[in-house]
Amino acid sequence: MRERLTRSRVWRSIFRHGWPDNPLDRSLVMTTNLFLHLHPVKVNRRSLRPTYSFGLGVICAILFTELVLTGILLMFYYVPTVERAYSYIITLQTGVPFGQLLRNLHRWGGHLMLLAAILHMARVFYTGAYKPPREFNWVVGVFLLLLTLAASFTGYLLPWDQLAFWAITVGTSVAGYAPGIGGQARSFLLGGPEVGQEALTRFYALHVMLIPLGIGLLTSLHIWRVRKDGGLAANEVENTE
Ligand code: HEM
């Protein structure tokens, strides 16, 4: 009896609601659970249909987490110097257990996150979820897409192979033609007249620190706003029908 009492006290110290078989407990389950509290207490059936959002925003968030984790592991082996970067990548692929898998997980994760962000944006547009009150979150989303593109671009230089070198040479030259700020943008990225050690150092700092920090902060704001705007737009569509 005493044991059951203690167990129930331990249980209740963590779960502050009863079995969800009445409206009050159902609400408490939603508001006291870290994951469920991201949703409104009541949602429309329509917004729960997997084909409404295809979970593309969540997929972006999961891929970002995967990229941070594999990126941290890659940093154990990578050194951003023009003399050693390429040979470290080769050593990672050929001499480190699961090194090739780790590199591919990061590379493919990056491609997939960009694809998922573009598809997510298309879904939001198609369902009209960019309209008020969600217009601010749409703008946050645009910055998230730009940061995702920037992460892909800066990561591309890091292997320091021929493909990387020439892709960034072309990419930064194109940036140089942007009206007004082109020249400054190019010298900010390269830190010199051409792609060299300064550019590699800058791309590395942007890729492993500034851009992921920006994506992390904006994603938190983005998901918080989804909740504050009343969950998915589908909730309102059905309410007004
Ligand atoms: C790149 C990282 C991004 C992440 C991690 C992300 C995450 C999310 C998540 C988790 C949701 C909840 C619904 C869902 O899963 O579809 C959501 C909704 C939303 N997202 Fe994103 N998103 C990203 C990019 C974008 C972009 C590029 C746009 C548009 C320019 C955008 C605009 C919106 C809007 C307006 C909503 C509300 C949708 C509705 O109410 O139906 N997001 N996002």
Side-chain angles (χ1 to χ4, degrees):
M1 177 66 190
R2 179 184 288 237
E3 195 195 333
R4 209 183 314 150
L5 189 72
T6 329
R7 217 177 339 163
S8 119
R9 273 203 195 130
V10 172
W11 177 266
R12 291 204 71 81
S13 72
I14 304 167
F15 301 101
R16 317 222 163 158
H17 53 78
W19 187 252
D21 54 3
N22 59 67
L24 176 64
D25 276 326
R26 282 195 204 114
S27 307
L28 287 173
V29 168
M30 294 302 290
T31 49
T32 57
N33 180 292
L34 174 68
F35 298 105
L36 293 179
H37 94 282
L38 296 174
H39 300 277
V41 168
K42 283 186 180 179
V43 294
N44 257 298
R45 226 174 261 272
R46 189 181 134 94
S47 74
L48 293 177
R49 265 188 232 151
T51 49
Y52 176 73
S53 71
F54 294 97
L56 285 162
V58 175
I59 291 174
C60 288
I62 293 172
L63 285 170
F64 175 61
T65 312
E66 183 260 332
L67 284 163
V68 170
L69 294 178
T70 51
I72 291 172
L73 291 177
L74 284 173
M75 284 172 74
F76 280 66
Y77 292 99
Y78 181 78
V79 181
T81 62
V82 291
E83 296 85 21
R84 292 160 81 181
Y86 181 66
S87 64
Y88 269 79
I89 294 286
I90 299 300
T91 311
L92 172 77
Q93 290 201 165
T94 53
V96 176
F98 302 108
Q100 179 141 20
L101 177 69
L102 182 63
R103 185 180 177 204
N104 280 336
L105 278 173
H106 196 74
R107 210 178 168 96
W108 281 98
H111 295 324
L112 288 178
M113 180 173 167
L114 188 55
L115 181 68
I118 293 168
L119 291 176
H120 171 59
M121 186 176 182
R123 188 289 290 175
V124 168
F125 184 75
Y126 177 69
T127 55
Y130 55 84
K131 292 177 196 163
R134 295 179 177 76
E135 69 274 44
F136 174 68
N137 219 11
W138 171 265
V139 175
V140 174
V142 171
F143 280 101
L144 275 170
L145 185 65
L146 291 176
L147 281 176
T148 310
L149 282 165
S152 294
F153 185 63
T154 50
Y156 212 77
L157 182 66
L158 303 185
W160 202 251
D161 51 14
Q162 285 292 314
L163 195 62
F165 182 85
W166 292 110
I168 302 306
T169 301
V170 172
T172 48
S173 305
V174 173
Y177 287 104
I181 53 155
Q184 283 112 313
R186 187 168 185 273
S187 48
F188 167 75
L189 285 172
L190 294 185
E194 56 187 24
V195 180
Q197 179 59 58
E198 292 78 11
L200 185 58
T201 308
R202 285 171 184 221
F203 274 54
Y204 183 68
L206 286 168
H207 188 77
V208 305
M209 282 298 298
L210 266 183
I211 295 172
L213 191 69
I215 295 182
L217 290 175
L218 280 187
T219 301
S220 313
L221 172 64
H222 192 63
I223 294 176
W224 178 75
R225 278 268 29 126
V226 172
R227 175 71 183 83
K228 291 292 156 192
D229 291 337
L232 292 190
N235 287 327
E236 284 144 41
V237 174
E238 208 155 275
N239 283 341
T240 55
E241 273 168 6

